[in-house]
Amino acid sequence: MKEWYDAIKEAQSVEKLEEIRISVFGKKGVLAAEFAKMKSAPNDQKAQIAKDLNTHKSSLMNEFTARKITLQTLQLQEAMKAESIDVSLFTSKSQAGALHPVMETMDRIVEYFTAMNFAVKTGSMVEDDFNNFEALNLPKYHPARDMQDTFYFKDEMLLRTHTSPVQIRTMMNTKPPIRMIAPGAVFRRDYDLTHTPMFHQVEGLLVDDEGKVSFANLKYILEDFLKYMFGDIEVRFRPSFFPFTEPSAEVDISCVFCKGEGCRVCSHTGWLEVLGCGIVDPNVFKAVKYKNVSGYAFGLGVERFAMLIHQIGDLRSLFEGDIKLLEQFQ
Ligand code: PHE
């Protein structure tokens, strides 16, 4: 029997041990053979032989179980070692997402005005004629409607051509004073180097008691805002026309490309137009039934800002979703 104890103790693998188990405990194994031999032993010795064999059987079984556990543990340890992952190894760089340059610019604009205590208001992209035109002093057949080529639905519904209807809706359901901006998408039938059918605007409106809001207030905040956005630039106000403001102005900044020297981008004028603004026209206040108030309003195109900040030549490229272009803004 001793050789079998040794065989079990020395078995080097789970597979080898299994072979030994069959040779010892199997139907044709050594123990079975010994029990068979017992039959031909003298009767008075049988009981003792059986007792000895059973003792061996259970100690062999104990040895076997102990060895099996040892071998299995070793096997597991080896497998873990072989399959372990070195988490300290470098891998290829993973790609992180980033904000689209238009949204990043929008966030910056909103950040400025919220810091200046302007509330952020939003409205529907599908508007009616009253809020988009009529209440903004743009009656039907007014030639200024042609400034904004419109997408119409039936029943005088349309895709808003600017964020100015949010001014109207806010004034209709809030009492003055008002200090708000309205960021959002707007739609016009346009498509070329500097126009896409959908683009983003930020509208601004401030309303307070009559005589309290002046053009000087408007000029101050817009100059401060434009320096916040573009850094060290010159700002100028040019008389202009909007139906909903009087007086109205367009605001230019000195060209960010040539620093005012004159280049292709600024059509050799040294100036870039970036904003429309003015003192709210009394007809607008009449339409929303506001009395004894004064206010200023302004509106800007976010894509134009993004193009000037990032020096992008073709507006359409911002909407093509080209990963090679967008990666540059990470
Ligand atoms: N709504 C005008 C536009 O889209 C911009 C603007 C807003 C001008 C407010 C003046 C005041 O062109």
Side-chain angles (χ1 to χ4, degrees):
M1 279 296 157
K2 176 163 185 309
E3 65 204 273
W4 292 107
Y5 284 98
D6 292 345
I8 291 173
K9 270 193 204 120
E10 283 156 22
Q12 290 305 311
S13 69
V14 176
E15 293 72 31
K16 182 73 199 161
L17 188 66
E18 180 59 14
E19 280 171 28
I20 295 169
R21 185 188 70 80
I22 293 165
S23 322
V24 176
F25 304 102
K27 263 191 201 145
K28 294 178 183 154
V30 264
L31 278 169
E34 289 297 323
F35 277 112
K37 265 194 237 160
M38 191 183 71
K39 282 187 192 131
S40 47
N43 272 343
D44 59 342
Q45 289 174 24
K46 271 185 185 160
Q48 188 58 44
I49 292 171
K51 205 178 160 200
D52 289 349
L53 277 176
N54 277 321
T55 312
H56 276 304
K57 191 180 173 183
S58 63
S59 0
L60 279 165
M61 193 45 106
N62 286 343
E63 286 294 336
F64 170 81
T65 310
R67 186 65 189 157
K68 190 170 175 187
I69 291 168
T70 310
L71 286 174
Q72 276 174 340
T73 311
L74 279 172
Q75 201 177 45
L76 183 69
Q77 276 168 359
E78 247 152 62
M80 301 243 277
K81 215 166 161 187
E83 289 166 23
S84 75
I85 296 163
D86 183 353
V87 288
S88 68
L89 273 181
F90 292 106
T91 69
S92 56
K93 210 169 136 213
S94 62
Q95 293 272 317
L99 275 183
H100 190 280
V102 173
M103 287 304 125
E104 179 216 83
T105 307
M106 178 98 105
D107 285 354
R108 241 176 98 70
I109 297 169
V110 171
E111 189 180 274
Y112 175 86
F113 286 105
T114 47
M116 287 300 202
N117 232 356
F118 282 70
V120 178
K121 301 282 180 189
T122 52
S124 170
M125 293 177 202
V126 177
E127 264 300 355
D128 52 32
D129 192 89
F130 175 78
N131 284 282
N132 195 83
F133 291 129
E134 199 85 43
L136 288 158
N137 198 26
L138 264 155
K140 285 206 182 66
Y141 309 112
H142 193 290
R145 284 205 182 191
D146 290 348
M147 286 162 79
Q148 304 179 356
D149 207 349
T150 313
F151 289 106
Y152 284 99
F153 301 110
K154 36 178 211 232
D155 304 327
E156 309 229 312
M157 297 300 282
L158 46 86
L159 284 175
R160 67 178 180 195
T161 53
H162 48 181
T163 40
S164 305
V166 185
Q167 284 189 31
I168 301 300
R169 286 183 180 277
T170 307
M171 287 192 279
M172 296 280 245
N173 60 36
T174 5
K175 283 198 191 110
I178 286 182
R179 216 179 157 89
M180 57 151 273
I181 53 164
V186 300
F187 305 84
R188 290 183 201 177
R189 299 176 49 162
D190 257 336
Y191 192 65
D192 60 33
L193 263 184
T194 50
H195 298 90
T196 48
M198 188 280 298
F199 61 103
H200 297 83
Q201 284 191 333
V202 176
E203 184 88 5
L205 173 72
L206 184 141
V207 181
D208 210 326
D209 295 339
E210 195 161 21
K212 260 203 178 174
V213 186
S214 72
F215 204 97
N217 301 149
L218 173 63
K219 196 161 179 271
Y220 172 81
I221 196 161
L222 290 181
E223 265 182 30
D224 190 55
F225 162 65
L226 291 170
K227 293 204 161 131
Y228 174 79
M229 293 303 288
F230 295 104
D232 189 18
I233 39 111
E234 300 281 315
V235 179
R236 79 173 182 189
F237 285 67
R238 250 182 318 106
S240 184
F241 172 78
F242 297 104
F244 29 90
T245 46
E246 183 60 35
S248 304
E250 272 169 333
V251 185
D252 298 341
I253 57 168
S254 53
C255 182
V256 292
F257 296 92
C258 62
K259 308 261 176 281
E261 299 271 298
C263 67
R264 205 174 47 87
V265 184
C266 60
S267 309
H268 304 281
T269 61
W271 296 96
L272 298 162
E273 184 200 319
V274 291
L275 265 168
C277 66
I279 295 296
V280 181
D281 192 290
N283 281 343
V284 174
F285 287 140
K286 215 179 274 171
V288 299
K289 303 189 171 63
Y290 267 19
K291 287 197 179 92
N292 308 322
V293 289
S294 59
Y296 65 62
F298 57 87
L300 62 90
V302 182
E303 280 76 6
R304 179 146 176 86
F305 274 58
M307 284 173 79
L308 296 177
I309 290 168
H310 294 293
Q311 318 221 329
I312 299 161
D314 185 343
L315 171 60
R316 292 168 296 194
S317 64
L318 283 175
F319 296 111
E320 278 162 5
D322 181 350
I323 204 85
K324 288 218 172 66
L325 179 111
L326 295 174
E327 266 173 358
Q328 298 171 31
F329 303 106
Q330 290 241 334

